[in-house]
Amino acid sequence: MELKDLRNASAWNTEEMELNISVDCVLFTIRDHKLKVLLNRPFPELDYLLPGDFVRTGEDADAAAIRILYQRTGVDHIYLKQFMTFTDPGRFSYATMFRRLGMEQQLMEEQPILPERVISIGYFALVNSELIQPTGGDFQEETTWSDTGHLPELHFDHAQIIHGATEALRRELYFKPVLYNLLPEKFTMPELQNLYEIILGKSLDRGSFQRKMLRWDIFERLEERKTGVAHKRPFLYRFNREKYETALRQGIHFAM
Amino acid sequence: MELKDLRNASAWNTEEMELNISVDCVLFTIRDHKLKVLLNRPFPELDYLLPGDFVRTGEDADAAAIRILYQRTGVDHIYLKQFMTFTDPGRFSYATMFRRLGMEQQLMEEQPILPERVISIGYFALVNSELIQPTGGDFQEETTWSDTGHLPELHFDHAQIIHGATEALRRELYFKPVLYNLLPEKFTMPELQNLYEIILGKSLDRGSFQRKMLRWDIFERLEERKTGVAHKRPFLYRFNREKYETALRQGIHFAM
């Protein structure tokens, strides 16, 4: 059951879902040199929302997040990470939502089984927005990539969830090569550094950045250099797929 | 309602708690140069368990974790961090637990309201075991500090929760000065390094460690040096309380 299906009674099968446990996905991308997130607005009456859904019976939260990501982007096998669970008793109210949607009748009927509190387990992922077409179905025209620095009005605590996901993504950069999905097959160290700078929101020292990256030992330097750039022609790199997969699984600890 | 109160009908007030949302706390300490966690065993029929409880109505998960920590240790104002939520549909079963406790009758009565799945929101904290006396009430004699490298048989997915908490603690060391609670007021860099080495489970380069620590700018070097040590007399340090508090709140990012 997704929020957009609320008015579709057949999709509202409360026996197949955990009515008080949802998953929200913060899908990041980089566009126009900015860190952006995918938002949607299932109903004109509501503000923007993160893609999310209830956890289904027999499904764990990871599976729910993978399902949501796949539904919205058509991609799977993307690095997706649980980062925090949001549990404030006042964060979400079925009653408020039903009323805003003018569904007083349904609210009266459902109220006995609706829990007071719905928690949300937050996930984030990095996707290359050039390679996907967000498939929102009914509400496709309302799907948007929004600059994390200038978010529109969001429902519930979704602004807080995005803030938490941004912090978690920044930390993740120190331990895992999560930017793979955003890079072309061959890339230069300045291109990689540029992605880090956009996400971290600060400039990095070039020499120090390259030393640290290369110490991770997941890149292969190619014989070619980048062409078509003004002055220096930087080396091209690509991921060593095997070492990259290991690093993604096991993590890479910075030397303390 | 705690697990230990299961047999105490008056404590089993299902209206005041979220029957499918629990919090488990991994309380770490360092003893005998090992990283240990607090475990308890409320019933002889059961294996060891992490301190945990259900989230109460009107209480968020942070408040539940603070309550559990306070109940078990008598301390509050300790750095406590949510690190992951465990949602496997098979991770916990009321039916199995009631049966193992020989409570078939109560199981029959309660079954209609018992959820199939109970999720657990995991928290970790670092406590100085010399300063606290775990207050387990009825099961005090069953409370134990267990070496994370040699855990006893644990119920449910509690071994997995401890593993996840250990990974999260190791990461936290890179961003926040979480070891404060384990240090005496004045300490040496080798003492601090020793704590890091125990938690990370590896040796660290002394010069590099000290350079990075001092770059955090949260320590004050005192005029005194450590006495009573064999050869070199290392400088003593203490935390600059104000800078420490800021660092704990805002985090410290390693230079990338």
Side-chain angles (χ1 to χ4, degrees), chain A residues 180-238:
Chain A
Y180 178 84
N181 293 317
L182 301 183
L183 289 164
E185 198 199 332
K186 300 173 186 178
F187 52 88
T188 67
M189 281 293 141
E191 284 169 347
L192 181 64
Q193 183 174 341
N194 186 246
L195 293 180
Y196 271 81
E197 289 180 335
I198 290 167
I199 295 173
L200 293 174
K202 63 180 182 188
S203 301
L204 300 171
D205 177 76
R206 185 168 168 157
S208 165
F209 177 81
Q210 295 204 10
R211 262 196 313 282
K212 280 174 179 158
M213 282 299 120
L214 296 177
R215 211 182 287 154
W216 278 13
D217 190 31
I218 54 174
F219 306 103
E220 286 169 2
R221 196 169 85 177
L222 305 174
E223 290 307 307
E224 317 161 57
R225 285 167 185 259
K226 178 96 171 179
T227 55
V229 288
H231 300 291
K232 282 187 185 170
R233 295 193 303 127
F235 280 106
L236 283 164
Y237 291 83
R238 72 173 167 215

Side-chain angles (χ1 to χ4, degrees), chain A residues 136-154:
Chain A
D138 301 341
F139 54 96
Q140 184 139 355
E141 66 291 339
E142 296 281 359
T143 293
T144 181
W145 290 105
S146 179
D147 179 358
T148 52
H150 295 90
L151 295 170
E153 281 297 314
L154 288 156

Side-chain angles (χ1 to χ4, degrees), chain B residues 134-170:
Chain B
T135 51
D138 299 343
F139 54 97
Q140 182 138 357
E141 65 294 335
E142 297 281 357
T143 295
T144 182
W145 290 104
S146 178
D147 179 359
T148 52
H150 295 90
L151 294 170
E153 282 297 314
L154 287 156
H155 261 291
F156 317 127
D157 54 357
H158 286 193
Q160 192 190 338
I161 294 176
I162 293 171
H163 179 76
T166 307
E167 283 302 300
L169 169 63
R170 285 176 177 160

Side-chain angles (χ1 to χ4, degrees), chain A residues 18 20-21 55-61 81-82 84-85 87-89 117 119 121 170-176 196 202 204 208-209 212-213 253-256, chain B residues 18 20-21 55-61 81-82 84-85 87-89 117 119 121 170-176 196 202 204 208-209 212-213 253-256:
Chain A
E18 306 280 358
N20 64 343
I21 304 173
V55 173
R56 292 191 184 151
T57 310
E59 173 188 71
D60 69 12
K81 190 179 160 78
Q82 190 202 112
M84 186 176 264
T85 297
T87 61
D88 190 302
R117 179 212 329 244
I119 69 169
I121 306 174
R170 286 176 177 162
R171 278 195 175 204
E172 201 68 4
L173 292 185
Y174 290 81
F175 297 100
K176 295 207 169 175
Y196 271 81
K202 63 180 182 188
L204 300 171
S208 165
F209 177 81
K212 280 174 179 158
M213 282 299 120
H253 277 219
F254 269 84
M256 178 68 88
Chain B
E18 305 281 359
N20 65 343
I21 305 172
V55 173
R56 293 192 184 152
T57 311
E59 173 187 71
D60 70 10
K81 190 180 161 82
Q82 190 201 113
M84 185 174 265
T85 297
T87 60
D88 190 302
R117 177 208 335 238
I119 69 168
I121 305 174
R170 285 176 177 160
R171 279 194 173 206
E172 201 68 4
L173 292 184
Y174 290 81
F175 297 100
K176 295 209 169 174
Y196 272 80
K202 64 180 180 187
L204 301 171
S208 165
F209 177 82
K212 280 174 178 159
M213 282 297 121
H253 278 218
F254 269 84
M256 177 69 89

Side-chain angles (χ1 to χ4, degrees), chain B residues 3 25 30 53 83-84 89 100 124 139 164 170-171 183 189 197 202-203 228-229 246:
Chain B
L3 204 56
C25 291
I30 292 178
D53 198 357
F83 68 96
M84 185 174 265
R100 281 192 66 162
F124 72 81
F139 54 97
R170 285 176 177 160
R171 279 194 173 206
L183 289 164
M189 281 292 142
E197 290 180 336
K202 64 180 180 187
S203 301
V229 289
T246 306

Side-chain angles (χ1 to χ4, degrees), chain B residues 35-88:
Chain B
L35 182 64
K36 300 197 171 188
V37 292
L38 188 67
L39 299 178
N40 59 62
R41 184 154 61 168
F43 305 112
E45 300 94 325
L46 293 180
D47 293 327
Y48 284 93
L49 288 167
L50 288 166
D53 198 357
F54 294 95
V55 173
R56 293 192 184 152
T57 311
E59 173 187 71
D60 70 10
D62 281 6
I66 290 166
R67 175 168 57 78
I68 294 164
L69 178 67
Y70 183 74
Q71 280 170 345
R72 304 308 170 98
T73 66
V75 294
D76 49 12
H77 300 298
I78 273 194
Y79 184 69
L80 193 64
K81 190 180 161 82
Q82 190 201 113
F83 68 96
M84 185 174 265
T85 297
F86 298 83
T87 60
D88 190 302

